[in-house]
């Protein structure tokens, strides 16, 4: 075990050094020293301000303290339930590919696992203790109450590590069954608390249950382990350094999906057939769909952001604010869609072949039109629900729709030109027309006459496409 | 044909290529030689546009890479050292993607795709996805993709890596034939004996600079790394 600990510490040190190097590089890109010092000073000032504000709200905190006691068992149940949910995504104990490789040397997986368990326990202990100290320092909650919560939460957090590991290994319907059973058990426990008027101290019953579960799992902890899945998830978590990915634009480089072995089982014979050679857009559409499917979470986030922006700014009243909400929604949509357009060109294979821009953009328009309809439905529903219905309103929404397409077309044209020409900068007229379109969008609801700006959009669009077509192909 | 002038590439603070310049004439086969880390792959990546250059110009038939990248790329095809196929496309769909991108007419495409897949013995794998192919097979698919069009320049990084003896021999013959028909070829390989058989001229890179260049028959040997 001693040799394992030494080797694991050695690995950890190497990993920390590499991360430090990466963070140093990333911070070098994001911050200079002045920014770092200011950020540090602001953080300290923020702590003082928070302390002062919380101090002045002592009475509120005390009333919260009394009420929150009632929810104590609920929070403990929530933590247990959270561990079960997390077991769908992560094993809690990290065995990365580096640790796994140690098993080919004279190190046993049992010892490696034990040390990894200790690392999780230590991490949770330190994080929770620091949180306790922060809360003791800056909030007016009673220290005794905080310590009581700390002890209970810590015990639950520590006792859910092994169950999460064990449940992570269970697959398919068995796991869903287990999940439903857990919901049932937790529901029964919650009912028992309510019906039998059990007090907060009864939470110890839950902790005893967790202890028993740990004892039951312990001899089974390394049986039927899906090591490949554990390693994949652990590697993903260990090296998923958000800040670095953002700075290095690594977030744009998609990890290869690893469920390839499943694909042949689920792909139809038709999907394997060649495409009609004379219709290259069909093949391109497939590539776009693939590219967008990989970024589906961004689309959900985009739609959610647009919905929230529209609702929040619309309910605050005023058509100008709603106009600003429309600008923001259109802006978010165009930037996200344009970034999708760029993403495919970063694929190695795609980058290495000549680009048939007409085919590529036609196929992309077919996909992005669908997305723009979804966005326009969101915008229209909010606008129609918060305004009195009139034909003007329909005309204004139509204006938004056309402006959105115009802006998207201009943005894509700029992207294509930038791909072709290293030093490309958009023309002044193009930039000004784009800016005016956004301004017109902001005022379109407040002053319906603004939609006459459509004449300029159409005029400019026709002149550009007819007299100055992009001659890239 | 291909002209690389005063090429300088930096990654972070490290200079990878410094003042690299060479040209590849029509129908010639030029071998890029050098130790690991000499900058061979960076030259390839910079020509392909994956790697940003700090200074210098790259012209292909007088088309500047910085000013008209799409036209520039239509004139070249690339065979990478490691195949990078798309998991969503079958072998034939990859061929189609290349054929359509290089705007080959359907008749020519069908004829060449069939001929090359038979020659490389993958005719029975046309409707297979890359994950069900072995590494060598994937390399063959990638090679065929690049051989489908008739382009003025072929860039080849380690062409014989992963290919069996027969496929390597066939590829060598095909490259010679392509060169005879006017295609210029810039290739890197650690297999010096193959390089000697194939290339007309060589360019030797050392620590990111052109250390030597000349006729392949005048090339003597590559000294051990770090002994110079």
């Amino acid at each position: 075990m001693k040799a394992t600990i030494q080797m694991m510490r050695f690995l950890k040190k190497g990993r920390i050094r590499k991360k430090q190097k990466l963070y140093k590089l990333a911070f070098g890109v994001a911050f200079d020293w002045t920014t770092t010092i200011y950020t540090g000073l602001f953080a300290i000032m923020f702590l003082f301000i928070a302390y002062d504000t919380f101090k002045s709200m002592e009475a509120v905190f005390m009333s919260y303290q009394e009420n929150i006691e009632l929810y104590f068992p609920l929070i403990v149940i929530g933590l247990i339930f959270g561990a079960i949910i997390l077991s769908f995504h992560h094993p809690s104990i990290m065995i990365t590919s580096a640790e796994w490789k140690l098993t080919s040397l004279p190190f046993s997986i049992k010892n490696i696992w034990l040390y990894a368990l200790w690392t999780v326990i230590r991490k949770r202990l330190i994080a929770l203790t620091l949180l306790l100290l922060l809360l003791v320092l800056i909030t007016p909650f009673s220290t005794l109450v905080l310590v009581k919560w700390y002890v209970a939460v810590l015990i639950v957090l520590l006792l859910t590590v092994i169950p999460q590991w064990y449940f992570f290994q269970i697959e398919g319907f068995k796991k869903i069954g287990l999940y439903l059973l857990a919901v049932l058990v937790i529901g029964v426990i919650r009912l028992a608390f309510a019906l039998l008027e059990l007090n907060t101290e009864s939470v110890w019953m839950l902790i005893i249950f967790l202890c028993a579960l740990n004892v039951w799992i312990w001899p089974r902890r390394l049986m039927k382990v899906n090591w490949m899945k554990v390693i994949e998830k652990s590697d993903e978590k260990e090296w998923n350094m958000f800040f670095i990915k953002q700075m290095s634009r690594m977030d744009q480089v998609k990890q290869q999906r690893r469920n390839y072995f499943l694909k042949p089982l689920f792909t139809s014979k038709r999907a394997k057939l060649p495409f009609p050679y004379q219709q290259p857009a069909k093949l391109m559409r497939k590539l776009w769909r693939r590219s967008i499917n990989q970024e589906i979470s961004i689309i959900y986030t985009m739609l959610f952001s647009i919905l929230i922006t529209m609702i929040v700014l619309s309910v605050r009243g005023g058509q100008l604010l709603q106009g600003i909400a429309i600008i923001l929604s259109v802006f978010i949509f165009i930037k996200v869609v344009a970034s999708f357009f760029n993403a495919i060109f970063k694929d190695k294979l795609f980058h290495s072949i000549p680009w048939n821009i007409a085919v590529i953009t036609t196929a992309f328009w077919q996909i992005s039109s669908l997305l723009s309809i979804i966005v326009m439905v969101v915008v229209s529903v909010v606008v129609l629900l918060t305004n009195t219905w009139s034909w003007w309103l329909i005309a204004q929404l139509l204006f938004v729709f056309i402006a959105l397409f115009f802006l998207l077309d201009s943005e894509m044209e700029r992207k294509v030109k930038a791909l072709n020409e290293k030093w490309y900068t958009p023309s002044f007229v193009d930039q000004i027309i784009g800016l005016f379109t956004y301004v017109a969008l902001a005022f379109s609801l407040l002053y319906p006459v603004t939609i006459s700006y459509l004449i300029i959009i159409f005029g400019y669009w026709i002149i550009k496409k007819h007299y100055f077509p992009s001659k890239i192909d | 044909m291909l002209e690389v002038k005063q090429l300088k590439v930096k990654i972070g603070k490290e200079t990878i290529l410094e003042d690299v310049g060479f040209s590849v004439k029509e129908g010639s086969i030029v071998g890029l030689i050098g130790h690991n880390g000499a900058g061979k792959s960076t030259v390839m990546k910079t020509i392909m546009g994956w790697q940003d250059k700090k200074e210098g110009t790259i012209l292909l038939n007088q088309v500047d890479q910085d000013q008209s990248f799409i036209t520039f790329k239509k004139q070249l095809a690339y065979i990478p050292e490691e195949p990078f196929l798309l998991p969503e496309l079958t072998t034939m769909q990859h061929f189609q993607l290349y054929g359509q991108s290089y705007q080959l007419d359907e008749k020519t495409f069908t004829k060449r795709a069939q001929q090359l897949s038979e020659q490389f013995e993958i005719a029975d794998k046309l409707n297979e996805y890359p994950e069900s192919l072995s590494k060598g097979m994937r390399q063959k698919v990638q090679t065929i993709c690049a051989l489908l069009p008739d382009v003025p320049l072929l860039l080849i990084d380690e062409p014989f890596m992963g290919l069996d003896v027969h496929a390597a021999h066939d590829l060598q013959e095909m490259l010679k034939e392509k060169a005879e028909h006017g295609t210029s070829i810039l290739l890197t390989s650690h297999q010096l004996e193959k390089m000697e058989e194939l290339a007309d001229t060589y360019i030797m890179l050392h620590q990111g600079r052109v250390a030597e260049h000349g006729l392949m028959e005048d090339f003597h040997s590559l000294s051990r790394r770090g002994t110079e």
Side-chain angles (χ1 to χ4, degrees):
Chain A
M1 184 70 197
K2 202 178 161 193
T4 310
I5 293 172
Q6 275 175 349
M7 183 48 78
M8 294 283 277
R9 280 187 182 154
F10 174 72
L11 271 184
K12 197 183 160 200
K13 270 184 200 162
R15 205 173 274 153
I16 290 172
R17 268 197 294 270
K18 185 168 178 182
K19 282 187 181 177
Q20 274 174 346
K21 213 173 160 184
L22 287 169
Y23 272 114
K24 217 174 161 183
L25 276 171
F27 272 88
V29 176
F31 293 117
D32 50 34
W33 274 108
T34 324
T35 324
T36 315
I37 291 165
Y38 275 111
T39 314
L41 286 175
F42 277 123
I44 295 165
M45 271 167 64
F46 173 76
L47 281 181
F48 276 108
I49 294 167
Y51 177 75
D52 264 0
T53 318
F54 291 155
K55 199 82 186 157
S56 65
M57 293 163 71
E58 200 164 343
V60 181
F61 270 89
M62 287 305 123
S63 80
Y64 273 138
Q65 188 175 306
E66 278 167 30
N67 289 328
I68 211 166
E69 284 285 285
L70 301 170
Y71 295 104
F72 189 55
L74 206 64
I75 287 171
V76 174
I77 293 171
L79 283 171
I80 299 170
F81 194 62
I84 297 169
I85 296 282
L86 277 175
S87 73
F88 276 84
H89 310 286
H90 198 267
S92 76
I93 296 165
M94 301 231 287
I95 306 289
T96 68
S97 41
E99 275 99 28
W100 181 250
K101 275 173 194 153
L102 289 184
T103 58
S104 60
L105 297 167
F107 299 100
S108 83
I109 190 66
K110 227 174 180 175
N111 289 344
I112 293 170
W113 184 89
L114 210 60
Y115 186 81
L117 171 68
W118 160 240
T119 314
V120 181
I121 292 173
R122 194 179 52 191
K123 214 182 253 179
R124 290 190 180 185
L125 184 72
I126 294 170
L128 206 65
T129 311
L130 286 175
L131 184 68
L132 170 78
L133 288 175
L134 187 73
L135 290 176
V136 167
L137 276 175
I138 67 166
T139 64
F141 284 126
S142 130
T143 310
L144 196 70
V145 170
L146 283 174
V147 169
K148 182 181 133 188
W149 275 77
Y150 166 77
V151 173
V153 172
L154 182 68
I155 293 173
V156 173
L157 279 183
L158 298 186
L159 288 176
T160 48
V161 178
I162 297 174
Q164 190 183 328
W165 165 266
Y166 184 74
F167 294 145
F168 179 79
Q169 317 302 339
I170 299 168
E171 304 269 4
F173 289 115
K174 236 178 169 182
K175 189 166 214 162
I176 295 168
L178 188 87
Y179 170 75
L180 293 174
L181 184 72
V183 173
L184 193 74
V185 169
I186 288 168
V188 169
I189 294 170
R190 175 70 192 122
L191 264 179
F193 270 100
L195 294 175
L196 305 174
E197 292 179 5
L198 297 171
N199 55 21
T200 51
E201 272 68 34
S202 317
V203 97
W204 292 108
M205 282 165 60
L206 278 175
I207 289 172
I208 291 166
F209 165 74
L210 273 180
C211 284
L213 187 64
N214 273 274
V215 170
W216 183 78
I217 291 173
W218 188 256
R220 297 166 177 83
R221 68 193 184 280
L222 294 176
M223 286 179 193
K224 294 179 186 169
V225 176
N226 186 344
W227 288 110
M228 287 309 109
K229 203 169 108 186
V230 170
I231 291 163
E232 188 183 320
K233 291 286 171 188
S234 304
D235 277 344
E236 213 172 83
K237 195 170 179 192
E238 186 66 58
W239 295 104
N240 181 21
M241 298 183 290
F242 175 78
F243 189 68
I244 283 168
K245 277 169 94 180
Q246 291 300 313
M247 287 299 108
S248 60
R249 307 305 300 147
M250 279 296 286
D251 54 321
Q252 307 228 341
V253 182
K254 278 278 122 189
Q255 289 247 328
Q256 296 246 312
R257 278 183 286 146
R258 303 192 184 181
N259 57 348
Y260 290 163
F261 65 96
L262 284 175
K263 209 174 54 125
L265 298 175
F266 296 106
T267 39
S268 64
K269 275 188 179 168
R270 202 167 150 254
K272 288 180 166 186
L273 293 176
F275 289 94
Y277 191 76
Q278 299 293 351
Q279 296 165 322
K282 282 201 172 178
L283 204 161
M284 270 318 300
R285 269 208 301 276
K286 182 170 182 173
L287 293 182
W288 281 123
R289 273 202 303 274
R290 157 193 176 260
S291 177
I292 288 175
N293 273 341
Q294 285 178 345
E295 307 282 358
I296 200 76
S297 61
I298 297 178
I299 292 184
Y300 292 144
T301 315
M302 173 192 81
L303 289 174
F304 183 71
S305 314
I306 289 174
L307 183 68
I308 293 295
T309 311
M310 284 305 298
I311 291 174
V312 169
L313 290 178
S314 296
V315 293
R316 289 187 76 89
Q319 287 179 317
L320 183 63
L321 268 185
Q322 199 164 48
I324 291 170
I326 291 175
I327 288 192
L328 288 173
S329 305
V330 170
F331 184 77
I332 293 170
F333 173 72
I334 285 170
K335 289 295 163 193
V336 170
V337 170
S339 76
F340 281 148
F341 185 71
N342 254 7
I344 201 166
F345 296 96
K346 291 196 171 79
D347 183 283
K348 270 192 162 185
L349 183 131
F350 203 77
H351 186 102
S352 69
I353 55 178
W355 302 319
N356 193 340
I357 293 295
V359 175
I360 294 172
T361 44
T362 309
F364 186 74
W365 266 110
Q366 285 162 349
I367 306 256
S368 57
S369 305
L370 211 94
L371 283 175
S372 61
I373 289 170
I374 300 172
V375 169
M376 272 316 291
V377 167
V378 172
V379 172
S380 306
V381 167
V382 178
V383 169
L384 290 170
L385 286 177
T386 50
N387 287 281
T388 322
W389 196 91
S390 72
W391 283 109
W392 263 117
L393 207 58
I394 302 297
Q396 284 156 329
L397 285 172
L398 201 65
F399 167 68
V400 175
F401 204 27
I402 294 168
L404 180 141
F405 270 99
F406 169 69
L407 288 166
L408 185 60
D409 182 62
S410 307
E411 185 76 21
M412 272 165 61
E413 196 182 296
R414 282 197 282 268
K415 295 275 176 203
V416 168
K417 285 184 174 165
L419 283 168
N420 187 47
E421 200 184 323
K422 193 175 180 181
W423 314 112
Y424 169 77
T425 45
S427 75
F428 178 71
V429 179
D430 207 41
Q431 289 187 46
I432 285 290
I433 295 277
L435 187 71
F436 282 172
T437 310
Y438 277 114
V439 175
L441 277 174
F443 291 105
S444 62
L445 288 176
L446 190 61
Y447 305 115
V449 72
T450 318
I451 65 171
S452 56
Y453 183 74
L454 264 181
I455 298 166
I456 295 180
I457 290 183
F458 280 129
Y460 181 68
W461 221 347
I462 291 165
I463 291 170
K464 201 166 74 167
K465 295 280 170 196
H466 194 73
Y467 295 103
F468 305 99
S470 131
K471 290 175 185 164
I472 285 174
D473 274 334
Chain B
M1 176 48 69
L2 176 73
E3 285 174 81
V4 176
K5 294 176 187 168
Q6 294 166 323
L7 189 63
K8 182 174 183 175
V9 172
K10 278 181 103 173
I11 298 178
K13 285 177 183 169
E14 201 181 342
T15 304
I16 309 295
L17 297 178
E18 179 79 63
D19 196 23
V20 170
F22 60 87
S23 61
V24 180
K25 290 195 176 73
E26 195 180 325
S28 65
I29 303 180
V30 178
L32 263 181
I33 298 171
H35 294 290
N36 293 334
K40 305 182 298 290
S41 291
T42 311
V43 169
M44 292 288 195
K45 282 180 194 162
T46 315
I47 298 171
M48 286 304 297
W50 281 319
Q51 180 63 56
D52 266 340
K53 53 186 181 295
K54 189 95 181 151
E55 286 168 19
T57 44
I58 301 173
L59 302 168
L60 184 50
N61 283 331
Q62 301 309 313
V63 178
D64 190 330
Q65 187 203 42
D66 289 342
Q67 281 170 14
S68 192
F69 187 51
I70 294 173
T71 317
F72 176 88
K73 245 176 16 157
K74 276 182 182 162
Q75 303 185 72
L76 61 89
Y78 176 61
I79 305 178
E81 183 181 354
E82 290 282 329
F84 43 62
L85 302 172
L86 298 171
E88 280 78 4
L89 298 186
T90 62
T91 302
M92 183 45 115
Q93 288 168 350
H94 274 94
F95 296 164
Q96 287 187 309
L97 178 64
Y98 270 72
Q100 286 164 351
S101 301
Y102 284 95
Q103 295 175 351
L104 289 181
D105 64 80
E106 194 172 3
K107 207 176 153 193
T108 316
F109 164 77
T110 315
K111 193 180 153 202
R112 284 192 194 164
Q114 196 184 347
Q115 190 189 336
L116 287 166
S117 18
E118 275 166 15
Q119 202 160 355
F120 279 95
E121 297 171 329
I122 59 159
D124 56 334
K125 306 282 180 194
L126 294 180
N127 290 334
E128 299 289 336
Y129 287 104
E131 62 270 18
S132 50
L133 301 175
S134 68
K135 196 192 165 204
M137 288 284 188
R138 290 202 294 270
Q139 187 64 35
K140 284 180 180 179
V141 175
Q142 190 85 64
T143 306
I144 295 175
C145 284
L147 294 176
L148 278 170
D150 277 325
V151 280
L153 177 69
L154 258 178
L155 295 177
I156 317 179
D157 213 351
E158 294 291 345
F160 309 108
M161 193 78 96
L163 296 184
D164 56 56
V165 188
H166 300 297
H169 177 262
D170 286 350
L171 177 64
Q172 194 172 336
E173 292 307 309
M174 261 181 248
L175 293 179
K176 278 182 186 167
E177 201 184 306
K178 283 236 171 213
E180 277 164 20
H181 286 92
T183 303
S184 309
I185 299 170
L186 178 66
L187 64 105
T188 71
S189 178
H190 284 112
Q191 299 179 29
L192 289 178
E193 64 288 355
K194 279 231 184 285
M195 189 76 104
E196 275 167 332
E197 282 172 35
L198 199 57
D200 311 316
T201 55
Y202 75 94
I203 296 160
M204 197 206 279
L205 290 177
H206 180 64
Q207 293 181 341
R209 287 172 179 272
V210 176
E212 239 181 82
H213 62 94
L215 293 173
M216 201 67 221
E217 58 214 43
D218 297 334
F219 175 72
H220 299 297
S221 66
L222 197 60
S223 56
R224 277 189 79 86
R225 194 167 186 263
T227 53
E228 297 98 318

